């Protein structure tokens, strides 16, 4: 299996390279982007990707952020229930995010079939 060196950068500005599987730079970046935390991100300035590939990586990152927000809402909802507070506002926001995530992932699936 082929591997690629993908540049990543942390919040302090320190750049490093991760060796990841992938036949192309985009495949490697797409693979590792799903595993990176908020403290480390892809160094897009060194990847030399097309506009469509950058858009796909941005969508993937947005999906990660939506999932993180949904997890936070679940914790807040549970905390509200334990305090005897109605969690309806958390549920509403969670459902809005769930719909947005569904549409975004469906769009990504269509886009990856074209790449």
């Amino acid at each position: 299996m082929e591997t690629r060196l993908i540049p990543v950068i942390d919040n302090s500005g320190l750049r490093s390279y991760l060796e990841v599987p992938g036949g192309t730079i985009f495949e490697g970046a797409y693979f590792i982007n799903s595993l990176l935390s908020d403290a480390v991100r892809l160094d897009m300035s060194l990847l030399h990707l097309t506009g469509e590939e950058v858009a796909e990586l941005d969508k993937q990152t947005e999906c990660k952020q939506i999932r993180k927000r949904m997890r936070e809402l679940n914790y807040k909802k549970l905390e509200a229930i334990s305090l005897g507070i109605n969690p309806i506002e958390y549920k509403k926001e969670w459902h809005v995010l769930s719909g947005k995530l569904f549409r975004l992932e469906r769009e990504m699936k269509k886009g990856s079939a074209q790449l």
Side-chain angles (χ1 to χ4, degrees):
M1 173 179 263
E2 288 185 63
T3 60
R4 301 280 181 217
L5 288 176
I6 303 297
V8 294
I9 192 165
D10 65 14
N11 288 339
S12 67
L14 181 65
R15 180 178 291 126
S16 60
Y17 292 84
L18 298 174
E19 186 174 1
V20 297
T24 65
I25 295 292
F26 172 71
E27 288 175 0
Y30 192 83
F31 173 78
I32 196 65
N33 191 41
S34 65
L35 302 175
L36 295 175
S37 67
D38 290 338
V40 179
R41 63 194 180 283
L42 293 174
D43 189 353
M44 300 298 275
S45 64
L46 296 179
L47 285 176
H48 308 293
L49 300 173
T50 66
E52 294 92 14
E53 292 170 337
V54 171
E56 282 297 307
L57 291 173
D58 289 343
K59 288 176 192 173
Q60 186 184 43
T61 302
E62 186 177 355
C63 284
K64 284 182 0 183
Q65 292 169 346
I66 290 172
R67 284 189 191 97
K68 180 181 175 188
R69 179 66 184 143
M70 289 172 75
R71 276 192 304 275
E72 291 169 358
L73 287 171
N74 277 334
Y75 289 125
K76 288 182 179 183
K77 181 181 78 172
L78 291 173
E79 186 177 320
I81 291 170
S82 70
L83 296 174
I85 301 169
N86 189 349
I88 192 73
E89 293 302 318
Y90 300 123
K91 288 181 181 181
K92 286 179 183 178
E93 187 178 350
W94 191 91
H95 284 291
V96 169
L97 289 172
S98 177
K100 185 175 181 179
L101 180 63
F102 174 78
R103 288 186 297 279
L104 193 58
E105 286 179 336
R106 184 176 53 193
E107 187 179 318
M108 285 175 56
K109 186 175 181 179
K110 288 178 184 177
S112 66
Q114 294 173 353
L115 290 177

